[in-house]
Amino acid sequence: MRRLWIAALVITPVILTATTAGYIESVQRWQQERNAKLRLPDSWLALAGLFWLKPGDNTIGSASSNDFVIQEGSAPAHIGRLHVEGSKVSFTSAAGTAVKVDGKPIHSTVLLKYDPDDNSSVVSAGSISFYIIERDGKLGLRAKDSQSPVLKSFKGMKYFPINSAFHFDAKFIPEPKKIPILDVLGVSSPTNSPGIVQFVYQGKAYSLRPIFEDQTLFFLYKDPTNKTMTYQAGRMLNTPLPQNGRVDLDFNHSYNPPCTFTPYATCPLPPRENILPIAIDAGELRYGKGHVEPFPRENTGR
């Protein structure tokens, strides 16, 4: 793709200008969509707690007597009780508290569903909602607050200037294997990788090894900008699946992992193969760079 733009510069400069303008607009639309998603009431900015469940009963609410304490003012004193028996988690609401599961009021004990993709039952009370996650055989509870002060104070992400030099028509080399993906909790998970994506920058070839996320290639990578300009642990990037042995690799679409916003996320970390020696001056900058982090550090469950 980038080569086509260079060719257009030589033959028809007017077409290059139109194409470049269209490309810039497309990246700007992606940035706007990214910011809009982060402003949603259930985005990563709304996270209010991460708690690990123990066998038997686990209570939740804003009262200090609960096993899991939600910030006072954002939740009822007692929301209810989660009961863990083996791999099953049931929920019983506290007397006198209006609680919904998947948007429907409940009046009895409900079995909560959960799966590895976080397609789980959502329990809500007031502005607080929570659902069950499973990580390396451990069951946890992730809580969100649609009235989170972090969410309300969000003013949008900042980005490097859009630079088509970091947009590559990359080569896909099929080499399927499982690679270990470590997360911030120290848990390593063997994950399917379909192969290697190779791109050429300033005459030198570099490669990254993606995994899958939905119907995309998903890249976890680090580069020298992590030291000062971008999130320390690395960034993320999704691309379309390979077509005819090529991948549309555009680092202008790089974004921060959820852990840059909150201590309550369990983010995967870049594998060793994806540590680049070149600075990728494209995509999202570090969130809140130069400012005090606006979220609390308690209730991480770690």
Side-chain angles (χ1 to χ4, degrees):
M1 294 181 182
R2 186 164 159 255
R3 292 177 182 171
L4 291 177
W5 294 334
I6 294 171
L9 174 63
V10 176
I11 301 170
T12 51
V14 174
I15 294 178
L16 174 65
T17 302
T19 303
T20 302
Y23 170 68
I24 291 173
E25 288 174 2
S26 72
V27 177
Q28 289 174 336
R29 282 195 301 272
W30 172 82
Q31 293 174 353
Q32 292 165 0
E33 291 169 2
R34 164 78 168 155
N35 280 294
K37 288 179 180 178
L38 288 171
R39 289 189 172 94
L40 293 175
D42 63 347
S43 78
W44 291 110
L45 292 168
L47 283 180
L50 173 63
F51 311 97
W52 298 107
L53 296 164
K54 67 181 187 295
D57 289 341
N58 303 259
T59 56
I60 182 171
S62 60
S64 60
S65 57
N66 288 287
D67 296 307
F68 304 146
V69 180
I70 300 294
Q71 186 174 348
E72 187 175 2
S74 63
H78 301 281
I79 299 175
R81 181 181 73 252
L82 298 109
H83 182 79
V84 179
E85 187 172 347
S87 61
K88 294 183 179 179
V89 182
S90 58
F91 174 77
T92 305
S93 61
T97 302
V99 181
K100 296 180 179 180
V101 175
D102 294 333
K104 298 179 181 179
I106 63 167
H107 306 287
S108 61
T109 299
V110 175
L111 186 67
L112 301 180
K113 68 178 186 293
Y114 61 91
D115 65 31
D117 296 320
D118 293 345
N119 183 23
S120 306
S121 301
V122 177
V123 181
S124 57
S127 65
I128 289 292
S129 63
F130 58 83
Y131 53 93
I132 306 302
I133 62 172
E134 188 273 332
R135 297 291 184 270
D136 195 39
K138 293 175 60 178
L139 294 177
L141 180 153
R142 178 168 281 157
K144 294 185 177 183
D145 182 2
S146 62
Q147 299 301 311
S148 162
V150 178
L151 179 62
K152 286 187 171 183
S153 65
F154 179 63
K155 293 181 172 60
M157 299 303 300
K158 294 182 179 180
Y159 299 86
F160 285 104
I162 297 169
N163 187 351
S164 63
F166 288 103
H167 185 193
F168 301 96
D169 177 22
K171 180 181 180 181
F172 176 70
I173 304 171
E175 190 184 287
K177 70 173 185 177
K178 286 186 179 292
I179 60 173
I181 297 295
L182 187 72
D183 68 20
V184 294
L185 300 180
V187 176
S188 180
S189 303
T191 308
N192 289 321
S193 171
I196 294 170
V197 174
Q198 187 180 85
F199 64 97
V200 177
Y201 179 66
Q202 294 183 347
K204 293 185 179 180
Y206 302 93
S207 63
L208 294 170
R209 182 172 277 280
I211 56 179
F212 290 113
E213 185 176 65
D214 299 326
Q215 295 301 308
T216 70
L217 294 182
F218 180 44
F219 297 81
L220 301 156
Y221 77 93
K222 292 191 70 173
D223 72 284
T225 68
N226 301 142
K227 295 178 181 178
T228 56
M229 299 298 292
T230 60
Y231 184 55
Q232 297 92 319
R235 286 182 289 169
M236 299 176 167
L237 173 65
N238 294 81
T239 73
L241 295 175
Q243 294 286 334
N244 301 317
R246 312 302 295 182
V247 172
D248 184 5
L249 181 70
D250 191 350
F251 286 105
N252 291 282
H253 288 204
S254 298
Y255 60 95
N256 289 295
C259 289
T260 195
F261 306 112
T262 172
Y264 309 132
T266 54
C267 300
L269 299 172
R272 288 183 179 180
E273 297 98 318
N274 290 359
I275 300 176
L276 294 171
I278 55 170
I280 304 296
D281 297 328
E284 275 186 1
L285 295 167
R286 186 182 301 176
Y287 179 64
K289 179 172 165 45
H291 302 281
V292 176
E293 290 175 316
F295 45 77
R297 285 289 177 177
E298 69 273 9
N299 292 344
T300 63
R302 299 176 190 170

